[in-house]
Amino acid sequence: MTATGSMLADPSGPKASDHGIPLGEATRIWARIAALSFGGPAGQIAVMHRILVEEKRWIGEERFLHALNYCMLLPGPEAQQLAIYIGWLLHKTRGGLIAGALFVLPGFLAILALSYLYVLLGQLPLIEGIFFGLKAAVLAVVVQAVVRVGSRALRNNVMRGIAVAAFVAIFFLDAPFPLIILAAGLGGYIGGRSGLPQFKGGGGHGSTGGEVVHDRDTALGEALPDHARPDLGWSLRICAILSFLWLAPVAGLFLILGPDNVFTHIATFFSQMAVVTFGGAYAVLAYVAQKAVGTFGWLRPGEMLDGLGMAETTPGPLIMVTQFVGFLAAFRDAGTMAPLLAATLGAILTTWVTFVPCFLWIFAGAPFIERLRGNKALSAALTAITAAVVGVIFNLAIWFAIHTLFGQTMAVRSPTGSFDVPIPVSINIAAVVLAVAAAVAIFRFKLGVLTVLAGCATLGAIYTLTV
């Protein structure tokens, strides 16, 4: 074994797992889950639950939900982190690496291909029409996210007040997303420690219902695997390796290319995002849009919607839209490099610094997860953060609506920044009709997200080709 391989070894050593699940079979199952992981975190978690708990019976309901609750406390996409956690629980470090990598790979390849299509053929009427329709559908999908998360999180006036405060802070005062999350988490933690009932934890992505599969009736059983017991030495080693893999490229780009290079900006910005992305993909997108569009000027508001449309229609975490942002940023600031090569490297770099930290959070904390079970203060912090996220997602919905339904906006100054308001005469009637149709399809007829996206893309293409 190489030195690196030795350091990556699990604390239980080379001893084989005794649950009887071959690593090869698990790899095939993780590939299957990755190919079916459409529909955002709720849909992805439901797919994992159906296959791993109900169909394969590899783990039970209690262990699945306990792992999910831990992943919801972490920054980053909880569905991918749940895959890493369960892969590690079944097959140690190697299993976690395989599960987490496969969860991202199909979406990465699909969005990379769509990004090439976007920059090479995006000016064609057919392609413009498809993305015109997708933007309108994405607006309805984001509104659905506000309603879905809000119905779960805003259970009392305190939570509603946190959501309103978060919206005001990010929309009118241009407050940084990390500051909003930090303030909400701190307030929730204090409320939980004080025993206030308004901060009582709960909610989250539940199971899909039906028969409850208990841990004792599964391949893994109720006992804790040897490698899952806390081992400080292994945790420190794996944290050191993953931290190096994550941060060494960032430091190298800073030293070699300088602080003002586009690749340095991509590496540092998305590394910062990786540690503050609580609350799911839609909350993160508000932060990314705020910086990528307003601060860095990497892309235009409508293009952010195009990227989200790509992420909604491909497998994998919705946060994969950041790959499209990195792609366009490098494409438009390639320097002496060929634009498509620079864009490809930008997409790879963005994906790397976004998802490597997810492995770090799981491998560092999973062996110690039992200490978090039933921690009311941490649960209260998560509850307050989720409430703040509702306000942040509502901000995203307003921002998308302004830039989807209107052709022109004007900036209005606030004490700490500015915010956009639409110019009424620039309203796009076709976009309004498509957005309303998408909303009716989702809320009235309960059609799936992919069906709505496909329908709006088709209608958008027809409209563009016929006007």
Side-chain angles (χ1 to χ4, degrees):
M1 181 181 291
T2 65
T4 302
S6 175
M7 292 184 72
L8 282 171
D10 295 276
S12 60
K15 177 182 175 182
S17 301
D18 56 6
H19 47 56
I21 303 170
L23 181 60
E25 181 184 357
T27 300
R28 290 190 292 273
I29 291 299
W30 287 119
R32 176 186 167 196
I33 290 173
L36 297 173
S37 60
F38 294 89
Q44 294 156 2
I45 291 167
V47 167
M48 270 190 279
H49 185 276
R50 175 173 58 82
I51 294 176
L52 299 175
V53 178
E54 298 175 2
E55 179 183 323
K56 305 300 293 186
R57 291 180 177 257
W58 285 352
I59 66 170
E61 182 80 15
E62 297 94 338
R63 183 162 269 152
F64 183 90
L65 292 179
H66 183 53
L68 176 58
N69 288 337
Y70 170 64
C71 293
M72 288 182 65
L73 288 170
L74 302 173
E78 63 262 39
Q80 192 232 6
Q81 289 168 335
L82 180 62
I84 299 171
Y85 187 102
I86 297 175
W88 165 81
L89 199 59
L90 292 172
H91 292 100
K92 310 179 184 180
T93 311
R94 185 182 300 177
L97 292 172
I98 290 172
L102 285 178
F103 198 85
V104 172
L105 185 60
F108 170 79
L109 295 175
I111 291 180
L112 186 62
L114 289 173
S115 299
Y116 286 138
L117 179 67
Y118 188 86
V119 298
L120 295 176
L121 303 176
Q123 301 303 313
L124 294 179
L126 175 62
I127 304 301
E128 286 184 344
I130 289 173
F131 280 102
F132 173 76
L134 284 177
K135 289 175 186 177
V138 164
L139 175 58
V141 171
V142 175
V143 172
Q144 181 193 36
V146 175
V147 174
R148 185 177 64 241
V149 179
S151 64
R152 185 181 75 238
L154 307 184
R155 295 170 297 171
N156 56 63
N157 287 335
V158 172
M159 295 298 112
R160 297 183 191 103
I162 292 174
V164 171
F167 171 74
V168 170
I170 195 169
F171 186 84
F172 292 105
L173 304 179
D174 204 23
F177 174 71
L179 180 61
I180 294 172
I181 293 302
L182 178 62
L186 181 61
Y189 184 83
I190 294 173
R193 288 292 299 269
S194 302
L196 299 176
Q198 293 89 342
F199 291 89
K200 183 179 179 182
H205 305 286
S207 65
T208 57
E211 177 192 0
V212 175
V213 179
H214 295 288
D215 291 340
R216 62 177 178 270
D217 300 323
T218 63
L220 196 60
E222 292 181 306
L224 191 67
D226 289 341
H227 68 273
R229 302 182 188 282
D231 185 295
L232 184 59
W234 175 80
S235 294
L236 290 176
R237 290 193 300 273
I238 196 70
C239 285
I241 292 172
L242 289 171
S243 296
F244 177 82
L245 292 174
W246 169 26
L247 297 175
V250 180
L253 289 169
F254 187 90
L255 293 173
I256 296 171
L257 301 179
D260 297 325
N261 186 271
V262 65
F263 290 104
T264 305
H265 285 157
I266 289 172
T268 53
F269 171 66
F270 288 109
S271 291
Q272 292 169 3
M273 188 201 72
V275 300
V276 299
T277 52
F278 298 93
Y282 289 111
V284 176
L285 290 179
Y287 177 47
V288 173
Q290 183 185 53
K291 296 297 183 182
V293 176
T295 302
F296 293 110
W298 287 337
L299 67 171
R300 295 180 290 274
E303 292 173 332
M304 191 72 195
L305 280 163
D306 293 337
L308 184 55
M310 293 181 190
E312 290 277 10
T313 52
T314 53
L318 292 181
I319 197 60
M320 292 299 296
V321 66
T322 58
Q323 172 192 332
F324 175 70
V325 175
F327 182 96
L328 281 187
F331 181 83
R332 289 170 174 164
D333 191 8
T336 59
M337 195 179 300
L340 280 180
L341 175 59
T344 304
L345 294 176
I348 294 171
L349 176 62
T350 303
T351 305
W352 183 264
V353 297
T354 298
F355 288 100
V356 169
C358 296
F359 294 91
L360 174 61
W361 311 146
I362 294 298
F363 290 147
F368 304 92
I369 185 175
E370 291 300 323
R371 297 184 181 180
L372 293 177
R373 187 189 296 270
N375 190 306
K376 295 181 179 180
L378 287 177
S379 180
L382 176 63
T383 299
I385 288 173
T386 305
V389 161
V390 176
V392 173
I393 300 175
F394 184 64
N395 160 75
L396 182 70
I398 297 296
W399 190 86
F400 277 175
I402 290 173
H403 293 285
T404 300
L405 306 181
F406 297 88
Q408 295 177 311
T409 63
M410 61 180 179
V412 176
R413 300 294 302 175
S414 73
T416 59
S418 64
F419 58 93
D420 291 338
V421 296
I423 297 177
V425 296
S426 68
I427 190 170
N428 188 325
I429 301 299
V432 173
V433 171
L434 272 178
V436 170
V440 170
I442 289 174
F443 290 101
R444 175 67 178 85
F445 296 103
K446 309 298 182 184
L447 296 184
V449 170
L450 287 178
T451 302
V452 174
L453 289 167
C456 285
T458 302
L459 291 174
I462 294 172
Y463 170 78
T464 304
L465 292 173
T466 55
V467 294

